[in-house]
Every structure is written in structure tokens, then in C-alpha cells.
């Protein structure tokens, strides 16, 4: 069982880390063509024709389905326990880097733009998109934790399912992929390595089961896909057609709370 659980985890990690390659192969099925413009907080690019590509939802749906199934299916629940037992045999040091790596891909997006490696959207646009993704992620994961009430491996509370850290990490990685996949594919998928690291360390720190982490990855990817789909509508609501107005939207994380700030001038 120990060998079986290890092989299964490796397979899951491989499936997650190759998500970017799969989405690149399906990108041609969606209409998302946009000219790159200089970074700006006030200049808005023409609204792209954006539609939700069902193929891009297959893998997140599979991750979420696996996570939900792990709550009740005997074999998957056993995999949760056997994986934890194997981790505990090695007594890994509990580090808290996962508190920071969950946001690392998004930080890289802003950092790369700051040094001149431009992505798909300007500052205002990507801030709206990422902020929306964080709001959707929180709106999904936080209520689910209180509804499902799955006990954490360390028995600290009953808020294990799904993994919020992993959801944020993969939402951030998907954000980086969407911004840079047309600029540099390998740069675009690099954020997934940080997301996988976050998910693994949630298990190594005894905070989550395998199913929690896999479901969190699915919810995170889904949240960012929905954010890109909703962006043209949100931009319109924020007054995107008024060229004389300026809007700044910034996500924030403070005192273990996630939110979004909005400042608008006319």
C-alpha cells in the first residue's frame, strides 16, 4: 500500500504540472486575440472577445471530482491515510513557506511587468482579473470548508476540505499562465511548479489530505478561468468605456483575510 500510495501521488503531481501543456493545445478553440500595449494603470486595451472554453474546464473538473470522491470513496480515503502515514514515517520538518508561495506566481507577473517583460494585460486589467480570481476562490473554498467539515490530518480543526492555500496557489499559477502563454510558453507554465510545491507542503505540514490538495488545485484553476471570462463584463461595470476615468483595483492579504480594494477617479 505504501508503494501504491507513492506512485499515485507522483501521478497526481505529474497530471497537475502538465496542465499548462494541455491548455496550450486547446487554446486555439477560443477567441482570445489581443495586441500587447505598454503597461499602464489608466489605459485600457480593447475588450477582447472572451468565451469560456469548455475544454479548459475538463482538468479542473476532474481534480474537483477526485477531491469530492475522496471524501466518501473507501479506496481514495484509504489513500489519504496511507499517504499521511508514509509522510510521517520520514518526519519532515514543518516549514511555512507555503504561506508565501501560494501568491508567488502572481507576484512574478507583476515583477516581470515591472522590469519590462510585458504580459497580456496592463496593470489595471490584470489587477481586476487577479482580484476577481481571488474573490471567486475565497467564495468557493471558505463556505465549503464550513459545509464539509472534514477534520485536518493534525486534528487542529474541521476545515480541511478543500485546501485554500493550494486553491490560491493554482489560481495564481493559472493567472501567470494566461498572462504569459503567448509571450513565452515555458515562462507561462513556470508558476505551476510553485503551486505544486505549495500543495505538497500542505500535506508535509500535516494540514491537508491528498484529496483536499487535488480539489484545491481544481478550484483554483477554475476560479482564474472564470475571472478571465468575467473580466469584460466587470470592466464595463467599472466604467471601462469612460476614457477620462481611472480605476485601480488591487487584491490584498492581511490578518489571514483576502480582499480587493477599488479606487476610482473621474
Amino acid at each position: 500500500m505504501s508503494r501504491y500510495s507513492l506512485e499515485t501521488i507522483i501521478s497526481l503531481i505529474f497530471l497537475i504540472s502538465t496542465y499548462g501543456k494541455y491548455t496550450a493545445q486547446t487554446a486555439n478553440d477560443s477567441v482570445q486575440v489581443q495586441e500587447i500595449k505598454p503597461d499602464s494603470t489608466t489605459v485600457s486595451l480593447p475588450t477582447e472577445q472572451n468565451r469560456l472554453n469548455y475544454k479548459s474546464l475538463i482538468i479542473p473538473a476532474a481534480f474537483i471530482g477526485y477531491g469530492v470522491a475522496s471524501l466518501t470513496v473507501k479506496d481514495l480515503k484509504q489513500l489519504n491515510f496511507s499517504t499521511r502515514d508514509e509522510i510521517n514515517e520520514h518526519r519532515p520538518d514543518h516549514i511555512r513557506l507555503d504561506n508565501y508561495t501560494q501568491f508567488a506566481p502572481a507576484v512574478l507577473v507583476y515583477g516581470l511587468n515591472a522590469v519590462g517583460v510585458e504580459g497580456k494585460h496592463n496593470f489595471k486589467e490584470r489587477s481586476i482579473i487577479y482580484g476577481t480570481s481571488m474573490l471567486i476562490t475565497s467564495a468557493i473554498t471558505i463556505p465549503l470548508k464550513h459545509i464539509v467539515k472534514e477534520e485536518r490530518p493534525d486534528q487542529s480543526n474541521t476545515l480541511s476540505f478543500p485546501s485554500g492555500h493550494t486553491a490560491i496557489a493554482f489560481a495564481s499559477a493559472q493567472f501567470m499562465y494566461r498572462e504569459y502563454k503567448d509571450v513565452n510558453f515555458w515562462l507561462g507554465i513556470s508558476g505551476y511548479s510553485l503551486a505544486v510545491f505549495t500543495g505538497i507542503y500542505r500535506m508535509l505540514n500535516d494540514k491537508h489530505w491528498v484529496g483536499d490538495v487535488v480539489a484545491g488545485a481544481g478550484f483554483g484553476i477554475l476560479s482564474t478561468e472564470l475571472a478571465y471570462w468575467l473580466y469584460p463584463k466587470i470592466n464595463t461595470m467599472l466604467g471601462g468605456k469612460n476614457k477620462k476615468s481611472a480605476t485601480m483595483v488591487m487584491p490584498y492579504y492581511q490578518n489571514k483575510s483576502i480582499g480587493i480594494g477599488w479606487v476610482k477617479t473621474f
Side-chain angles (χ1 to χ4, degrees), residues 51-235:
R51 66 184 184 187
L52 197 60
N53 181 8
Y54 76 94
K55 289 186 178 180
S56 67
L57 305 181
I58 294 176
I59 287 183
F63 288 169
I64 295 169
Y66 176 92
V68 172
S70 71
L71 296 172
T72 56
V73 176
K74 183 178 178 180
D75 289 343
L76 298 183
K77 287 177 69 69
Q78 182 59 42
L79 177 61
N80 284 340
F81 289 110
S82 62
T83 302
R84 185 196 179 220
D85 290 342
E86 181 149 349
I87 290 173
N88 287 341
E89 285 180 6
H90 295 85
R91 298 180 181 274
D93 293 332
H94 290 184
I95 62 174
R96 299 304 176 192
L97 282 177
D98 48 0
N99 290 330
Y100 306 100
T101 56
Q102 59 182 323
F103 298 105
V107 172
L108 283 173
V109 171
Y110 285 92
L112 287 167
N113 275 268
V115 298
V117 185
E118 297 175 355
K120 189 173 185 178
H121 295 90
N122 64 33
F123 181 87
K124 185 194 83 170
E125 292 171 331
R126 64 176 176 268
S127 295
I128 293 174
I129 292 169
Y130 186 62
T132 301
S133 175
M134 292 296 97
L135 288 176
I136 294 173
T137 302
S138 299
I140 293 173
T141 58
I142 293 176
L144 273 178
K145 286 176 176 289
H146 292 276
I147 293 171
V148 176
K149 295 182 178 180
E150 182 189 38
E151 189 173 42
R152 291 186 187 274
D154 64 359
Q155 300 181 334
S156 59
N157 59 45
T158 57
L159 302 175
S160 190
F161 181 90
S163 170
H165 281 66
T166 307
I168 291 174
F170 274 87
S172 300
Q174 185 69 5
F175 170 63
M176 184 174 184
Y177 170 72
R178 290 294 299 266
E179 287 298 303
Y180 284 102
K181 66 184 179 69
D182 296 326
V183 177
N184 185 307
F185 174 76
W186 296 108
L187 178 62
I189 66 172
S190 62
Y192 292 119
S193 61
L194 293 166
V196 171
F197 174 90
T198 302
I200 291 174
Y201 261 90
R202 293 310 285 167
M203 293 186 289
L204 293 180
N205 288 335
D206 209 24
K207 289 297 183 181
H208 286 289
W209 308 101
V210 177
D212 303 338
V213 169
V214 176
F219 285 124
I221 294 169
L222 176 63
S223 296
T224 296
E225 287 298 309
L226 291 175
Y228 275 89
W229 176 59
L230 290 171
Y231 168 69
K233 303 173 181 62
I234 294 174
N235 189 45

